[in-house]
Each structure stands twice: as C-alpha cells, then as structure tokens.
Amino acid sequence: MTALLAGELPVLPSSAWKLTAPPPPQCSSLQETVEADVAIIGSGFTGLMTAITLREAGKTVVVVDAIEPGWGASGRNNGQVIPGLKWDPDVVVQRYGAIQGARLVEWSGTAPTLVFETIAKHEINCFPVQNGWIQPAYTGISIETIKARCNQWARRGAPVEMIPEHELEHMLGTPIFRSAWIDRRGGSINPLAYARGLATAAIKLGVSLYTYLRRTASYLRTHSHVRQRRNDSTNRLFCLYMVWPATNRIPSR
Ligand SMILES: Cc1cc2nc3c(=O)[nH]c(=O)nc-3n(C[C@H](O)[C@H](O)[C@H](O)COP(=O)(O)OP(=O)(O)OC[C@H]3O[C@@H](n4cnc5c(N)ncnc54)[C@H](O)[C@@H]3O)c2cc1C
C-alpha cells in the first residue's frame, strides 16, 4: 500500500495538530458495489475539495483512501495558508503568457480566501486565523528575492508590504532576520482538522467516503478509467470519471 512508508503503521504520529483536531468522521471500508459519476482516489485537500466541488455541481462522488482523511501531507504540514505559487507572479506570466499567466496568478492569490471561505461555509473547526503570512530573510540575496516578490504582488494590487526594520524582532519573535515581507491574504489553520472537516462536509453533502481500503494500488492500476473495481470479485466501484492522483504522488505499485 503506497500510502505507507516501509515499516510505517497506519496510525498518525503524535503532533500538535493531532492533539487539537476533532476526530475523523466515521467511514467504512468498501464492502459492496458502489456506483458514482466520479471516483476520487485520496482524501487529502485535493481529493476532498474536488469531491465537494463536484458534489455541489450535482455529481455523485465516491472518495477512497488507503488510510484516512488527512493521512498524507494534508494532515502533517505546517498549516500555513499561503497565497501564490512556487514561482513568482512575473515568472508565471513569462511562462504562461499575459492572459493565462495573469489568470493563474490571480487565482493563486485568492486561494487563501477560498480556504477561509470554505472553513466558514462548512463551519470547520480548524483554528483558522487570517492575519497574514510573513516570509523573512537574512542573507543579501534572499532579501533581494523577497523585495522583488513583494513588489510583484504590490504591482498587482495585493495587500503586501515590507515590514519596517524596527518591527521585525517584535513580529517574528527572533532577532536573526534582517528583513521580511507580509502578505495579508495568508494565515494559518490546523491542517489535520481542516482535512477532517472537509471530509465531514463532503459526507454531509452526500459524498461516499471509504477509508482503509486494502490493495488500492493494484485496484487502481489493473482496471480501466471507465470501470474501476477492487481486485476481488465482490466489491466494485463503477464510475464514469476517475480523479487520480489526488494522492500527492502517483502510486507506484
Ligand atoms: C512537511 C510539509 C509541510 C508543508 N507545509 C505546507 C504549508 O504550510 N502550507 C501549504 O499550503 N502546503 C504545505 N505543504 C504542501 C501540502 O501539504 C500539500 O501540497 C497538500 O497537502 C497535498 O494534498 P493532497 O490532497 O494532494 O495529498 P495528501 O494530503 O498527501 O493526500 C493524499 C491521500 O492519498 C492517500 N493515498 C495515497 N496513495 C493511495 C493509494 N494508492 N490508494 C488510495 N489512497 C492513497 C493517502 O492516504 C492520503 O490520504 C507541506 C508539505 C509538506 C510535506
């Protein structure tokens, strides 16, 4: 099962997220034949948001996970809700052109708003705080990088600014950084609680969520895109479309 590392048990390790998150919703394993318009493999942020969006658009949706919602990176990350992509806005526009690139930049800048609106809409108890995201720097090169990044967003009207030097230590809690910028669209959440909340919201909307599936990788690999089934003859999953991978990486076996 590719969702587990060698020797790993299917039990989330202790973390601040786990200690403070509500429990996951009750889910069952796939015991019977199910049918859906769309089957989604993986119940992290990607799979669950896709499921909610499709369900709200009127599709029947099944989500399956080898372990449980938030088991992967979604339940174990830093919990920072960050606007933008890995590439800076100007790079995105250079790569994708003035129209598509600009749309991608705008979409990525509004991503935190989507997250915080989703949390409010589904009343997800995940300690959301939208008080900005700070990126500090302490070398000459990284200072130039963050200044350029901040300028690129400012030119596009985003609520960003360089933090005045005299406020750095107070805001960051350490004297080691020489510069920092803040993007006020960002914030933080408990990501495991968010993933579990998305799962609960999806189930409430009518999404079927099956967890602790065994042999999911072989069931994924051995059957067609139109008709998916587990590799035993009794438990079947029929769907028109499959969203795969929502597994953070492509299952290798
Ligand atoms: C250490 C770390 C820190 C990060 N910090 C941040 C941050 O602060 N802010 C931020 O925005 N992003 C952060 N990220 C990135 C972010 O966590 C990921 O981009 C995001 O969680 C990916 O979500 P996902 O749903 O695609 O994948 P995942 O959350 O990994 O979900 C994949 C799911 O698929 C299931 N699965 C895997 N294989 C199979 C299979 N064969 N069959 C069935 N199910 C399967 C898994 O059990 C899992 O539940 C961080 C990532 C890491 C690793």
Side-chain angles (χ1 to χ4, degrees):
M1 191 183 297
T2 53
L4 290 172
L5 301 172
E8 189 181 20
L9 295 173
V11 178
L12 270 175
S14 184
S15 69
W17 303 143
K18 187 180 169 185
L19 286 171
T20 54
Q26 286 282 343
C27 300
S28 55
S29 202
L30 192 58
Q31 300 293 337
E32 71 282 317
T33 301
V34 291
E35 293 187 28
D37 294 328
V38 185
I40 296 172
I41 315 300
S43 62
F45 297 157
T46 308
L48 292 168
M49 270 307 278
T50 307
I52 287 173
T53 306
L54 288 168
R55 187 70 199 113
E56 286 179 335
K59 303 294 175 199
T60 54
V61 184
V62 171
V63 181
V64 297
D65 200 293
I67 312 293
E68 63 175 57
W71 169 260
S74 299
R76 310 182 196 216
N77 64 49
N78 299 331
Q80 301 173 66
V81 185
I82 308 171
L85 298 165
K86 200 175 184 77
W87 291 330
D88 285 340
D90 286 358
V91 177
V92 174
V93 171
Q94 269 163 23
R95 284 179 180 251
Y96 293 102
I99 295 172
Q100 296 290 1
R103 283 179 61 192
L104 191 51
V105 169
E106 190 188 336
W107 168 80
S108 68
T110 59
T113 301
L114 174 65
V115 170
F116 289 110
E117 283 179 358
T118 301
I119 290 166
K121 178 174 170 185
H122 297 289
E123 299 179 336
I124 297 176
N125 178 13
C126 64
F127 310 94
V129 184
Q130 192 171 14
N131 62 350
W133 175 74
I134 293 176
Q135 187 175 35
Y138 56 87
T139 65
I141 293 176
S142 57
I143 290 170
E144 288 316 307
T145 302
I146 64 165
K147 276 185 182 161
R149 187 166 296 148
C150 183
N151 279 335
Q152 290 177 33
W153 280 114
R155 271 196 276 118
R156 291 170 169 85
V160 299
E161 64 200 90
M162 297 302 296
I163 297 175
E165 231 169 85
H166 66 274
E167 288 181 21
L168 280 178
E169 185 172 347
H170 169 69
M171 288 187 75
L172 300 175
T174 167
I176 69 167
F177 294 107
R178 290 167 48 208
S179 184
W181 72 293
I182 182 165
D183 187 327
R184 297 196 184 277
R185 298 170 296 182
S188 65
I189 54 172
N190 172 333
L192 179 63
Y194 180 51
R196 288 177 174 179
L198 287 175
T200 303
I203 292 169
K204 273 189 194 157
L205 287 168
V207 170
S208 303
L209 175 54
Y210 296 98
T211 53
Y212 291 93
L213 254 76
R214 285 181 295 163
R215 297 177 173 275
T216 43
S218 57
Y219 122 88
L220 280 175
R221 218 169 54 159
T222 51
H223 304 287
S224 77
H225 282 254
V226 175
R227 187 177 163 182
Q228 306 300 322
R229 72 177 180 95
R230 285 187 59 184
N231 72 338
D232 62 55
S233 58
T234 51
N235 305 331
R236 294 176 180 223
L237 170 56
F238 295 97
C239 63
L240 291 176
Y241 299 101
M242 184 168 74
V243 177
W244 173 64
T247 54
N248 207 0
R249 60 209 190 270
I250 296 172
S252 56
R253 62 190 158 89

Coordinates of all heavy atoms in Angstrom, one line a residue, residues 28-86:
S28 N -16.6 3.9 6.4 CA -16.5 2.4 6.3 C -15.5 2.0 5.2 O -15.2 2.9 4.3 CB -17.9 1.8 6.0 OG -18.4 2.4 4.9
S29 N -15.1 0.8 5.1 CA -14.3 0.3 4.0 C -15.3 -0.1 2.9 O -16.5 -0.3 3.1 CB -13.4 -0.8 4.5 OG -12.4 -1.0 3.6
L30 N -14.8 -0.3 1.7 CA -15.6 -0.6 0.6 C -16.1 -2.1 0.7 O -15.3 -3.0 0.5 CB -14.9 -0.3 -0.7 CG -15.7 -0.3 -2.0 CD1 -16.8 0.7 -2.0 CD2 -14.8 -0.1 -3.2
Q31 N -17.4 -2.3 1.1 CA -17.8 -3.6 1.3 C -18.8 -4.1 0.2 O -19.2 -5.2 0.2 CB -18.6 -3.7 2.7 CG -17.7 -3.3 3.9 CD -16.6 -4.4 4.1 OE1 -16.7 -5.5 3.7 NE2 -15.6 -3.9 4.8
E32 N -19.3 -3.1 -0.6 CA -20.3 -3.5 -1.5 C -20.0 -2.8 -2.8 O -19.2 -2.0 -3.0 CB -21.7 -3.2 -1.0 CG -22.0 -1.7 -1.0 CD -21.4 -0.9 0.2 OE1 -21.4 -1.4 1.3 OE2 -20.8 0.2 0.0
T33 N -20.8 -3.1 -3.8 CA -20.7 -2.5 -5.1 C -21.2 -1.1 -5.0 O -22.3 -0.8 -4.5 CB -21.5 -3.2 -6.2 OG1 -21.0 -4.6 -6.2 CG2 -21.4 -2.6 -7.5
V34 N -20.5 -0.1 -5.5 CA -20.9 1.3 -5.5 C -20.8 1.9 -6.9 O -19.9 1.5 -7.6 CB -20.2 2.2 -4.4 CG1 -20.6 1.8 -3.0 CG2 -18.7 2.1 -4.7
E35 N -21.7 2.8 -7.1 CA -21.6 3.5 -8.4 C -21.5 5.0 -8.2 O -22.1 5.5 -7.3 CB -22.8 3.2 -9.3 CG -22.9 1.7 -9.7 CD -24.1 1.5 -10.6 OE1 -24.4 2.4 -11.4 OE2 -24.6 0.4 -10.6
A36 N -20.8 5.7 -9.1 CA -20.8 7.1 -9.0 C -20.4 7.7 -10.3 O -19.8 7.1 -11.2 CB -19.7 7.5 -7.9
D37 N -20.7 9.0 -10.5 CA -20.2 9.7 -11.7 C -18.7 9.8 -11.6 O -18.1 9.7 -12.7 CB -20.8 11.1 -11.7 CG -22.3 11.1 -11.9 OD1 -22.8 10.2 -12.5 OD2 -23.0 12.1 -11.4
V38 N -18.2 10.1 -10.5 CA -16.7 10.4 -10.3 C -16.2 9.6 -9.1 O -16.8 9.7 -8.1 CB -16.4 11.9 -10.2 CG1 -14.9 12.1 -10.2 CG2 -17.1 12.7 -11.2
A39 N -15.1 9.0 -9.3 CA -14.3 8.4 -8.2 C -13.0 9.1 -8.0 O -12.3 9.4 -8.9 CB -14.0 6.9 -8.5
I40 N -12.8 9.4 -6.7 CA -11.6 10.2 -6.4 C -10.7 9.3 -5.5 O -11.2 8.8 -4.5 CB -11.9 11.5 -5.7 CG1 -12.8 12.4 -6.7 CG2 -10.7 12.2 -5.2 CD1 -13.4 13.6 -6.0
I41 N -9.4 9.2 -5.9 CA -8.5 8.4 -5.1 C -7.7 9.3 -4.2 O -6.9 10.1 -4.7 CB -7.6 7.6 -6.0 CG1 -8.3 6.9 -7.2 CG2 -6.8 6.6 -5.2 CD1 -9.4 6.0 -6.8
G42 N -7.9 9.3 -2.9 CA -7.1 10.1 -2.0 C -8.0 11.1 -1.3 O -8.7 11.9 -2.0
S43 N -8.0 11.1 0.0 CA -8.8 12.1 0.8 C -7.9 13.1 1.5 O -8.1 13.3 2.7 CB -9.8 11.4 1.7 OG -9.1 10.6 2.7
G44 N -7.0 13.8 0.8 CA -6.4 15.0 1.3 C -7.1 16.2 0.8 O -8.3 16.1 0.4
F45 N -6.4 17.4 0.9 CA -7.1 18.6 0.5 C -7.6 18.5 -1.0 O -8.7 18.9 -1.3 CB -6.1 19.8 0.5 CG -5.6 20.1 1.9 CD1 -4.4 20.8 2.0 CD2 -6.3 19.8 3.0 CE1 -3.9 21.2 3.3 CE2 -5.8 20.1 4.3 CZ -4.6 20.8 4.4
T46 N -6.7 17.9 -1.9 CA -7.0 17.9 -3.3 C -8.3 17.0 -3.5 O -9.2 17.5 -4.2 CB -5.9 17.2 -4.1 OG1 -4.7 17.9 -3.7 CG2 -6.1 17.3 -5.6
G47 N -8.3 15.8 -3.0 CA -9.4 14.9 -3.3 C -10.7 15.4 -2.6 O -11.8 15.4 -3.3
L48 N -10.6 15.9 -1.4 CA -11.8 16.4 -0.7 C -12.4 17.6 -1.3 O -13.6 17.7 -1.4 CB -11.5 16.5 0.8 CG -11.2 15.2 1.5 CD1 -10.6 15.5 2.9 CD2 -12.4 14.3 1.6
M49 N -11.6 18.6 -1.7 CA -12.1 19.8 -2.3 C -12.7 19.5 -3.6 O -13.8 20.1 -4.0 CB -11.0 20.9 -2.4 CG -10.9 21.8 -1.2 SD -12.5 22.6 -0.7 CE -12.6 24.0 -1.9
T50 N -12.1 18.6 -4.4 CA -12.6 18.2 -5.7 C -14.0 17.5 -5.4 O -15.0 17.8 -6.2 CB -11.7 17.2 -6.4 OG1 -10.4 17.8 -6.4 CG2 -12.1 16.8 -7.8
A51 N -14.1 16.7 -4.4 CA -15.3 16.0 -4.1 C -16.4 16.9 -3.8 O -17.6 16.9 -4.3 CB -15.1 15.0 -3.0
I52 N -16.1 17.9 -2.9 CA -17.1 18.9 -2.5 C -17.6 19.7 -3.7 O -18.8 19.9 -4.0 CB -16.6 19.8 -1.4 CG1 -16.5 19.0 -0.1 CG2 -17.4 21.1 -1.2 CD1 -15.8 19.7 1.0
T53 N -16.6 20.1 -4.5 CA -17.0 21.0 -5.7 C -17.9 20.2 -6.7 O -18.9 20.7 -7.2 CB -15.7 21.5 -6.4 OG1 -14.9 22.1 -5.4 CG2 -16.0 22.4 -7.5
L54 N -17.5 19.0 -6.9 CA -18.3 18.2 -7.9 C -19.7 17.8 -7.3 O -20.7 17.9 -8.0 CB -17.5 16.9 -8.2 CG -16.3 17.0 -9.1 CD1 -15.5 15.7 -9.1 CD2 -16.7 17.4 -10.5
R55 N -19.7 17.5 -6.0 CA -21.0 17.2 -5.4 C -21.9 18.4 -5.5 O -23.1 18.3 -5.7 CB -20.8 16.8 -4.0 CG -22.0 16.3 -3.3 CD -22.4 14.9 -3.8 NE -23.8 14.7 -3.4 CZ -24.8 14.6 -4.3 NH1 -24.6 14.7 -5.6 NH2 -26.1 14.4 -3.9
E56 N -21.3 19.6 -5.2 CA -22.1 20.8 -5.2 C -22.6 21.1 -6.7 O -23.6 21.8 -6.9 CB -21.4 22.0 -4.7 CG -21.2 21.9 -3.2 CD -20.4 23.1 -2.5 OE1 -19.6 23.7 -3.2 OE2 -20.7 23.4 -1.3
A57 N -21.9 20.6 -7.6 CA -22.3 20.7 -9.0 C -23.3 19.6 -9.5 O -23.6 19.5 -10.6 CB -21.1 20.7 -10.0
G58 N -23.7 18.8 -8.5 CA -24.7 17.8 -8.8 C -24.2 16.4 -9.2 O -25.0 15.6 -9.5
K59 N -22.9 16.2 -9.1 CA -22.4 14.9 -9.5 C -22.5 13.9 -8.3 O -22.4 14.4 -7.1 CB -20.9 15.0 -9.9 CG -20.7 15.9 -11.1 CD -21.4 15.4 -12.3 CE -21.3 16.4 -13.5 NZ -22.3 16.1 -14.6
T60 N -22.6 12.6 -8.5 CA -22.4 11.7 -7.5 C -20.9 11.3 -7.4 O -20.3 11.1 -8.4 CB -23.2 10.4 -7.7 OG1 -22.9 9.9 -9.0 CG2 -24.7 10.7 -7.6
V61 N -20.4 11.3 -6.2 CA -18.9 11.2 -6.0 C -18.6 10.2 -4.9 O -19.2 10.1 -3.9 CB -18.4 12.6 -5.5 CG1 -16.8 12.5 -5.4 CG2 -18.8 13.7 -6.5
V62 N -17.6 9.4 -5.2 CA -17.0 8.4 -4.3 C -15.6 8.8 -4.1 O -14.8 9.0 -5.0 CB -17.1 7.0 -4.8 CG1 -16.3 6.0 -3.9 CG2 -18.6 6.5 -4.9
V63 N -15.1 8.9 -2.8 CA -13.7 9.1 -2.5 C -13.2 7.9 -1.8 O -13.9 7.4 -0.8 CB -13.5 10.3 -1.6 CG1 -12.0 10.5 -1.3 CG2 -14.1 11.6 -2.2
V64 N -12.1 7.3 -2.2 CA -11.5 6.2 -1.5 C -10.1 6.6 -1.0 O -9.4 7.4 -1.6 CB -11.4 4.9 -2.3 CG1 -12.8 4.5 -2.7 CG2 -10.5 5.2 -3.6
D65 N -9.7 6.1 0.2 CA -8.4 6.4 0.7 C -7.8 5.1 1.3 O -8.5 4.3 1.9 CB -8.4 7.5 1.8 CG -7.0 8.1 2.0 OD1 -6.1 7.4 2.4 OD2 -6.9 9.3 1.6
A66 N -6.5 4.9 1.1 CA -5.9 3.7 1.6 C -5.8 3.8 3.2 O -5.8 2.8 3.8 CB -4.4 3.7 1.1
I67 N -5.8 5.0 3.7 CA -5.8 5.1 5.2 C -7.0 6.0 5.6 O -8.1 5.5 5.6 CB -4.5 5.8 5.7 CG1 -3.3 5.1 5.0 CG2 -4.4 5.7 7.2 CD1 -3.0 3.7 5.5
E68 N -6.9 7.3 5.8 CA -8.0 8.1 6.3 C -7.8 9.5 5.9 O -6.7 9.9 5.4 CB -8.0 8.1 7.9 CG -6.8 8.6 8.5 CD -6.9 8.7 10.1 OE1 -7.2 7.6 10.7 OE2 -6.8 9.8 10.6
P69 N -8.8 10.4 6.0 CA -8.7 11.8 5.6 C -7.6 12.5 6.3 O -7.5 12.4 7.6 CB -10.0 12.4 5.9 CG -11.0 11.3 6.1 CD -10.2 10.1 6.5
G70 N -6.7 13.2 5.6 CA -5.6 13.9 6.2 C -4.4 13.1 6.6 O -3.4 13.5 7.2
W71 N -4.4 11.8 6.1 CA -3.3 10.9 6.4 C -2.0 11.4 5.8 O -0.9 11.3 6.4 CB -3.6 9.5 6.0 CG -2.4 8.6 6.0 CD1 -1.6 8.3 5.0 CD2 -1.8 8.0 7.2 NE1 -0.5 7.5 5.4 CE2 -0.7 7.3 6.8 CE3 -2.2 8.0 8.5 CZ2 0.1 6.6 7.7 CZ3 -1.4 7.3 9.4 CH2 -0.3 6.6 9.0
G72 N -2.1 11.9 4.6 CA -0.9 12.3 3.9 C -0.4 13.7 4.3 O -0.6 14.1 5.4
A73 N 0.1 14.4 3.3 CA 0.7 15.8 3.6 C -0.3 16.7 4.2 O 0.0 17.6 5.0 CB 1.3 16.3 2.3
S74 N -1.6 16.5 3.8 CA -2.6 17.5 4.3 C -2.7 17.5 5.8 O -3.1 18.6 6.3 CB -4.0 17.1 3.6 OG -3.9 17.2 2.2
G75 N -2.5 16.4 6.4 CA -2.7 16.4 7.9 C -1.4 16.6 8.6 O -1.3 16.6 9.9
R76 N -0.3 16.8 7.9 CA 1.0 16.8 8.6 C 1.9 18.0 8.1 O 3.1 18.1 8.4 CB 1.9 15.6 8.2 CG 1.1 14.3 8.4 CD 2.0 13.2 8.1 NE 1.3 11.9 7.9 CZ 1.7 10.8 8.2 NH1 2.9 10.7 8.8 NH2 1.0 9.7 8.0
N77 N 1.3 19.0 7.5 CA 2.1 20.1 7.0 C 2.2 21.3 8.0 O 1.7 21.1 9.2 CB 1.6 20.6 5.6 CG 0.2 21.2 5.7 OD1 -0.1 22.0 6.6 ND2 -0.7 20.7 4.9
N78 N 2.7 22.4 7.6 CA 2.9 23.5 8.6 C 1.7 24.3 8.9 O 1.7 25.1 9.8 CB 4.0 24.4 8.0 CG 5.3 23.8 7.8 OD1 5.6 22.8 8.5 ND2 6.1 24.2 6.9
G79 N 0.6 24.1 8.2 CA -0.6 24.8 8.4 C -0.6 26.3 8.0 O -1.5 27.0 8.3
Q80 N 0.4 26.6 7.1 CA 0.4 28.0 6.6 C -0.5 28.1 5.4 O -0.3 27.3 4.5 CB 1.8 28.4 6.2 CG 2.8 28.3 7.4 CD 4.2 28.5 6.9 OE1 4.6 29.6 6.4 NE2 5.0 27.5 7.0
V81 N -1.3 29.1 5.4 CA -2.2 29.3 4.2 C -1.6 30.4 3.4 O -1.6 31.6 3.8 CB -3.6 29.6 4.6 CG1 -4.6 29.7 3.4 CG2 -4.2 28.6 5.6
I82 N -0.9 30.0 2.3 CA 0.0 30.9 1.6 C -0.6 31.3 0.2 O -0.9 30.4 -0.6 CB 1.4 30.3 1.4 CG1 1.9 29.7 2.8 CG2 2.3 31.3 0.8 CD1 3.1 28.9 2.6
P83 N -0.7 32.6 -0.1 CA -1.1 33.0 -1.4 C 0.0 32.7 -2.4 O 1.2 32.7 -2.1 CB -1.3 34.5 -1.3 CG -1.2 34.8 0.1 CD -0.4 33.7 0.8
G84 N -0.3 32.5 -3.7 CA 0.7 32.4 -4.7 C 1.1 31.0 -4.9 O 0.7 30.1 -4.3
L85 N 2.0 30.9 -5.9 CA 2.6 29.6 -6.3 C 4.1 29.6 -6.0 O 4.6 30.6 -5.5 CB 2.4 29.4 -7.8 CG 0.9 29.3 -8.3 CD1 0.8 29.5 -9.8 CD2 0.3 28.0 -7.8
K86 N 4.7 28.5 -6.3 CA 6.2 28.4 -6.0 C 6.9 29.5 -6.8 O 7.8 30.1 -6.4 CB 6.7 27.0 -6.4 CG 8.0 26.7 -5.8 CD 8.4 25.3 -6.1 CE 9.6 24.8 -5.4 NZ 9.4 24.5 -4.0

